Structure formats: structure tokens, C-alpha cells
Amino acid sequence: MTMSIQAHFKSAIQRAEAQAADLKLTESAGEFFTRSHQLQYSYNFSWLGRPIIQYPQDIVAFQELVFNVRPDLIIETGIAHGGSLVLSASLLVLLDVMDCLDPRQSKRKVVGVDIDIRPHNHQALDQHPLRFKMELIQGSSIEPSVIDQVRSHANGSSTILVCLDSNHTHDHVLAELNAYSDLTSIGSYCIVFDTCVEELPAGSSPDRPWDKGNNPKTAVHEWLKSHPEFVIDKDIDNKLMISVAPDGYLRRVI
């Protein structure tokens, strides 16, 4: 007999909890992540033609969340080469197709913000077949004018998912959380990427202003103290084991 989808998810959570309790596995996963980060493992992948700079586990987790949440708007801070934007756009198109909608007529879209969209990346995104699903905003994600632009795109959206993946310093991420988290729909997620910085040895990003003690995870834990409407979805952490966003999958519950 085919297992029901509810039973599948229940057993998956049970397996994930067992994984998280397995000291040998968690230590191995931590060692893999630390060494693979040193070797720039996340730079090995692309999505539909654009470098995505992400771990495959987080790509799969994001796909699951988009399918379950079914957002009509995804907000992303941090564009880089645009792979994450293309991922979001492609998943929104798939939702449209499953809902028997014309993707070009559907209101679903992804809004990407970056302080510096490099001309060659901008050109590549402009030429991408999924460009019609993307809105690009250049500027600091915590500048009031940029925040206003993003929020204007949110007008009329019923279900919003937020991804924060730009400057990874504590203060910047805290400001992004304060600027955009309230746009997250109940039952949806605000995903804070690169909380892994706190788990890496000090000095792992020598050319960056963030480090252990000053990173997205420290910002998340400070911010959550005064925002009970969000909780860390530990089921995702337990399932992935290897992720750039431990404690960063924040689900809005109220």
C-alpha cells in the first residue's frame, strides 16, 4: 500500500529527529561543512544557467517551502549572480502551471535587492527567459527608499516569503529583519541565510566584515527575543544536517 503523504512527512520528521540526536552524524556533518566552506563548495552549482552560490540541501528545502507556502511574492535581499532569483522565478512558474495559470499573466513574482547589481549579471538576468518573473532593485536593502520600493511591490500580495542574504553583519541583518519580516505571511517563512558563520572557526571569512560573534545567527537570536510571532523551524535544521542557514528558517506563527 502506498504511504500517505501525511505518514511520509511524519516519518521524515521522526528520522530527522533521530539524525539530530546522532552525535557521530552531527559531528561528521559539521566537519564536512567547515571543510567544504574552506574549499568554496557552494560555488560549484547553478540553477537554469545562473550560478547560485548555495548548498544543494538548502535549494531542496527552499523548493519544499515554496510549494507548501505557495507565495505570490518572494522578497530576496542579495542577488550576486542571480541564481537564487532564477530559482525563485522558476518555482513560481511551476506553481502557476500547477494552478493552471498563464505564468506571464500570473501576479506571482520575485523581487531582488542588491546594493550593487554588476552590469554583466544584470545583463544576464535581462536575457534570461524567466526575466518576466523578476523585479530588480539596486541599492542598500536597509535604505528607507529601497525599503519603500520593496514594500510597494508587496501591496496586493496575499502570501509573501522573505529571504535575507546580503550583508551578513549582525547590525545589517538585524536592520533587514526589522525592515521586512513583518511582510512575511502567517504560516510562511523569513529565511535568514549564512547563520552558519557563527558555527565556523573565527576568521573563516578574512575578507569580510562578519565573523563569529557578528553575523546573521547572532542577529536572529537577538531579534527573536522581542518577536514571538516567529519561531525557528528546527525540523528543517534536523532534516538538512548540512545547511548555510542553521536556526535561520524562521516560520511566522502569529
Side-chain angles (χ1 to χ4, degrees), residues 85-150:
L85 283 182
V86 174
L87 171 63
S88 291
S90 67
L91 294 175
L92 294 180
V93 167
L94 286 173
L95 288 181
D96 290 339
V97 171
M98 287 187 288
D99 290 341
C100 298
L101 300 174
D102 179 349
R104 290 188 176 272
Q105 299 301 318
S106 167
K107 68 177 183 178
R108 288 186 174 118
K109 63 184 176 182
V110 53
V111 175
V113 181
D114 201 293
I115 195 169
D116 181 18
I117 307 175
R118 302 292 174 87
H120 64 283
N121 289 328
H122 204 306
Q123 181 180 17
L125 289 173
D126 284 342
Q127 295 173 349
H128 198 279
L130 295 178
R131 180 65 173 86
F132 68 95
K133 278 290 185 184
M134 309 175 200
E135 298 285 348
L136 306 182
I137 300 174
Q138 180 162 296
S140 170
S141 59
I142 60 174
E143 284 294 323
S145 62
V146 171
I147 295 171
D148 288 344
Q149 288 183 67
V150 174

Side-chain angles (χ1 to χ4, degrees), residues 75 150-151 154 159-162 179-185 252:
I75 297 169
V150 174
R151 297 184 79 89
T159 307
I160 300 175
L161 188 152
V162 176
Y180 301 112
S181 63
D182 69 302
L183 295 175
T184 309
S185 306
R252 186 167 187 178

Side-chain angles (χ1 to χ4, degrees), residues 31-48:
E31 291 171 0
F32 172 84
F33 188 87
T34 298
R35 183 56 180 156
S36 64
H37 177 269
Q38 294 168 347
L39 296 174
Q40 297 187 312
Y41 173 83
S42 63
Y43 287 78
N44 293 341
F45 308 101
S46 63
W47 190 268
L48 298 182

Side-chain angles (χ1 to χ4, degrees), residues 21-248:
D22 188 313
L23 184 60
K24 185 175 181 179
L25 180 60
T26 56
E27 289 179 347
S28 297
E31 291 171 0
F32 172 84
F33 188 87
T34 298
R35 183 56 180 156
S36 64
H37 177 269
Q38 294 168 347
L39 296 174
Q40 297 187 312
Y41 173 83
S42 63
Y43 287 78
N44 293 341
F45 308 101
S46 63
W47 190 268
L48 298 182
R50 296 305 301 156
I52 194 168
I53 315 179
Q54 194 58 274
Y55 274 60
Q57 290 86 344
D58 290 302
I59 295 173
V60 172
F62 185 71
Q63 170 272 141
E64 291 182 349
L65 292 185
V66 170
F67 178 77
N68 291 331
V69 172
R70 307 183 77 80
D72 49 17
L73 178 65
I74 298 174
I75 297 169
E76 297 189 16
T77 64
I79 292 176
H81 298 282
S84 62
L85 283 182
V86 174
L87 171 63
S88 291
S90 67
L91 294 175
L92 294 180
V93 167
L94 286 173
L95 288 181
D96 290 339
V97 171
M98 287 187 288
D99 290 341
C100 298
L101 300 174
D102 179 349
R104 290 188 176 272
Q105 299 301 318
S106 167
K107 68 177 183 178
R108 288 186 174 118
K109 63 184 176 182
V110 53
V111 175
V113 181
D114 201 293
I115 195 169
D116 181 18
I117 307 175
R118 302 292 174 87
H120 64 283
N121 289 328
H122 204 306
Q123 181 180 17
L125 289 173
D126 284 342
Q127 295 173 349
H128 198 279
L130 295 178
R131 180 65 173 86
F132 68 95
K133 278 290 185 184
M134 309 175 200
E135 298 285 348
L136 306 182
I137 300 174
Q138 180 162 296
S140 170
S141 59
I142 60 174
E143 284 294 323
S145 62
V146 171
I147 295 171
D148 288 344
Q149 288 183 67
V150 174
R151 297 184 79 89
S152 70
H153 284 291
N155 291 336
S157 296
S158 59
T159 307
I160 300 175
L161 188 152
V162 176
C163 302
L164 305 179
D165 193 12
S166 58
N167 183 318
H168 302 315
T169 63
H170 176 101
D171 289 344
H172 187 91
V173 175
L174 196 61
E176 284 188 329
L177 283 164
N178 288 328
Y180 301 112
S181 63
D182 69 302
L183 295 175
T184 309
S185 306
I186 295 175
S188 184
Y189 287 75
C190 178
I191 307 171
V192 182
F193 287 97
D194 285 275
T195 51
C196 61
V197 175
E198 183 67 13
E199 311 301 321
L200 295 169
S204 293
S205 303
D207 58 340
R208 304 294 187 183
W210 48 84
D211 204 342
K212 185 179 286 290
N214 172 26
N215 56 68
K217 180 177 273 192
T218 60
V220 163
H221 283 280
E222 178 179 330
W223 184 80
L224 284 175
K225 293 176 184 177
S226 57
H227 289 85
E229 67 271 26
F230 284 86
V231 297
I232 295 170
D233 192 333
K234 296 299 293 185
D235 288 339
I236 296 178
D237 291 344
N238 293 342
K239 176 168 59 177
L240 298 185
M241 299 301 295
I242 296 169
S243 169
V244 302
D247 287 2

